[in-house]
Amino acid sequence: MPSQFDPPSGTRDFLAAELSRREHAFEVIRSVFGSYGFEPLQTPAFERLDVLLGKYGDEADKLVFKILRRGEHEASGEADLAMRYDMTVPLARVAAAYGSQLPMPYKRYAMGPVWRADRPGKGRYREFTQCDLDTLGSSSMLADAEVLSAVHDTLAALGLSNFSIQLNSRQVLQGLLEAFKVGPDAGPGVLSTLDKLDKLSPAEVTGELAERGLTESTAAELVEVVLARDAAQQLSVMLKPTARGPAGLEQVAKILDLVGPQLPPERIGFAPRMVRGLSYYTGPIWEVTAPGVPGSLAGGGRYDNLIQQLGGPDIPATGGSLGIERILLMQPAAGEPAHSQLDVAVPVLDQDLAGQSFGLAATARAAGLRAGVYLGGSGKLGRQLKWASDAGARWALIYGRNEQADATVTVRDMVTGEQSAVPVSGLAGYLADLALAGQAGQRPA
């Protein structure tokens, strides 16, 4: 039973060590995205409800967190706003509003919380962070390939190696529906069921397809085709007479030709069973998966009609999103930065010297170091050095009666235990050198 002090179901509190780890991951992601020329964009945490609804599909629309009208309209029980469900639809709104002011192609990344009115579970939250990158204004498969390459390099920079990229196209899936004579009304539901092949057995998926109106034999054959080892070869024949299938296969082949040689062997491949449930996708789609990890680490695709659907210009678009929560679960422990609250700790050995100790901390901060004084009043040096160690401090600045008499400060290396007497007049320069040296073993002359 949840305690009154627990955060709302599906949300979490992040204490300093975990938050530091997350911020380190975000810095890595920003760095890689920036190296590809993507620039940052920030949008509000909530959007108008009419902007969000109808863009994700019927099932996803049910998960939009609605905000009831306020003030005099509160009693109506109606909603006019909603927390953002993803970063893609807000981007499309921005493009519709500022299209003429944006450079084309427009390459942007966005990082922040999104909300889903979903049932919480292991690895599934109502509030979580998405890290997106998108390119607007290019219909070339080069744009799709660049997004995939950036996502791959980001995961590698975060220390992940045991993952694979599954590639498909909505055009392939539309051709598949056509080949199996699935009508447009039943098509979205059939694709939604096929998308469950990573959660349900083939027999269960076949049964659900039959419930959606397919004959038992057609449902079984459809599942067999998308799961076949030689699915690519079967589809190349089966989709030839369809209107969209050949174009989808060509998209997949082009991206594999562009990205494949840049990645480790067998890191990316054609996956006919992969659907991506969001209804706004129009072309290539992809997901990043890893053994033992439920769901995907990242996913995305092309959505050429979304901006126009919002009332903006007809701008082609492609992009993807990283699931940072699952990525952090996979990140090797060796890649985690050690949490440190302070670089420099300043004990207070005598209340009469508290002012000088406070000033020493200010000197350290001016040199570019994180510094703090002992706040427990004066006390035994051993206890205060333990506080310094618990705070992760690299150095301690000790100033007592002996140091006052000699006009020096004792700088203690908290790792090696070595101590140096530094003149008060030269402390600022000494600390600046420490800040530049940075790593253990590098000491100022």
Side-chain angles (χ1 to χ4, degrees):
M1 175 177 251
S3 158
Q4 62 175 319
F5 303 116
D6 289 340
S9 177
T11 67
R12 292 161 294 166
D13 298 314
F14 297 110
L15 300 185
E18 178 64 17
L19 189 59
S20 176
R21 181 171 175 249
R22 293 171 67 86
E23 289 299 326
H24 174 73
F26 295 147
E27 289 174 9
V28 171
I29 294 168
R30 289 188 191 97
S31 176
V32 178
F33 286 0
S35 73
Y36 275 81
F38 291 87
E39 63 183 38
L41 171 70
Q42 183 172 312
T43 61
F46 54 89
E47 297 277 351
R48 296 193 314 276
L49 183 60
D50 62 289
V51 168
L52 298 183
L53 291 185
K55 312 305 185 303
Y56 305 108
D58 292 341
E59 293 299 318
D61 276 356
K62 296 175 184 176
L63 303 182
V64 172
F65 248 123
K66 299 175 182 177
I67 302 174
L68 296 182
R69 289 180 180 271
R70 298 143 306 283
E72 61 183 290
H73 303 291
E74 185 175 358
S76 70
E78 297 176 350
D80 60 341
L81 301 173
M83 305 304 291
R84 65 184 175 208
Y85 182 90
D86 69 354
M87 297 291 191
T88 306
V89 171
L91 169 64
R93 177 189 57 75
V94 167
Y98 304 98
S100 61
Q101 302 174 39
L102 301 176
M104 288 294 163
Y106 175 53
K107 298 165 59 174
R108 85 87 176 88
Y109 71 84
M111 299 169 59
V114 298
W115 292 265
R116 307 272 173 92
D118 205 350
R119 177 177 295 177
K122 184 177 181 180
R124 183 182 295 275
Y125 305 100
R126 289 174 170 170
E127 179 187 63
F128 56 96
T129 299
Q130 281 192 340
C131 304
D132 282 30
L133 74 168
D134 295 79
T135 297
L136 309 184
S138 173
S139 58
S140 169
M141 292 299 101
L142 282 167
D144 302 81
E146 185 177 62
V147 167
L148 272 171
S149 294
V151 167
H152 173 273
D153 290 356
T154 300
L155 294 175
L158 289 169
L160 276 61
S161 58
N162 190 22
F163 63 90
S164 60
I165 302 171
Q166 300 180 17
L167 178 64
N168 200 1
S169 170
R170 293 293 286 208
Q171 302 284 356
V172 169
L173 293 169
Q174 291 300 325
L176 190 63
L177 293 177
E178 185 181 343
F180 279 86
K181 296 181 172 52
V182 178
D185 292 338
V190 168
L191 292 181
S192 176
T193 297
L194 283 179
D195 203 27
K196 299 177 182 179
L197 278 169
D198 60 340
K199 303 172 185 175
L200 304 178
S201 69
E204 289 172 316
V205 171
T206 298
E208 189 171 316
L209 288 173
E211 293 174 1
R212 292 190 178 275
L214 274 63
T215 65
E216 288 283 352
S217 59
T218 299
E221 185 183 357
L222 176 56
V223 171
E224 183 180 352
V225 166
V226 298
L227 292 179
R229 290 183 178 274
D230 62 343
Q233 289 78 8
Q234 289 192 43
L235 288 174
S236 65
V237 176
M238 182 179 297
L239 299 186
K240 274 185 180 180
T242 66
R244 301 184 188 179
L249 291 173
E250 186 177 344
Q251 291 173 343
V252 170
K254 181 63 174 177
I255 294 174
L256 290 175
D257 286 343
L258 290 168
V259 177
Q262 316 304 321
L263 306 184
E266 300 180 357
R267 178 59 58 83
I268 185 171
F270 179 33
R273 61 181 286 182
M274 195 269 293
V275 173
R276 298 288 296 166
L278 300 180
S279 62
Y280 54 59
Y281 289 121
T282 59
I285 52 176
W286 52 269
E287 286 186 348
V288 180
T289 60
V293 178
S296 60
L297 301 176
R302 179 163 286 274
Y303 51 99
D304 285 344
N305 300 329
L306 184 57
I307 297 169
Q308 189 176 39
Q309 187 180 348
L310 284 168
D314 184 10
I315 300 176
T318 187
S321 177
L322 296 174
I324 191 66
E325 320 301 339
R326 291 170 179 164
I327 290 171
L328 288 175
L329 289 175
M330 281 191 64
Q331 196 175 33
E336 299 175 12
H339 173 65
S340 171
Q341 180 183 350
L342 296 175
D343 298 313
V344 173
V346 184
V348 179
L349 300 186
D350 191 304
Q351 281 301 307
D352 291 343
L353 301 178
Q356 291 92 324
S357 297
F358 202 74
L360 293 177
T363 300
R365 286 191 289 272
L369 298 166
R370 296 170 300 161
V373 296
Y374 182 69
L375 302 178
S378 57
K380 292 183 178 180
L381 179 59
R383 178 185 300 172
Q384 298 194 50
L385 290 179
K386 183 181 184 304
W387 156 74
S389 178
D390 291 343
R394 182 66 173 81
W395 299 281
L397 304 183
I398 301 170
Y399 188 79
R401 294 298 179 188
N402 292 337
E403 286 80 10
Q404 183 184 39
D406 296 337
T408 61
V409 176
T410 298
V411 180
R412 179 183 177 89
D413 187 318
M414 295 298 296
V415 174
T416 66
E418 296 178 9
Q419 298 188 161
S420 302
V422 179
V424 171
S425 59
L427 182 64
Y430 187 92
L431 292 176
D433 288 343
L434 284 181
L436 287 174
Q439 300 178 0
Q442 294 181 317
R443 301 185 56 80

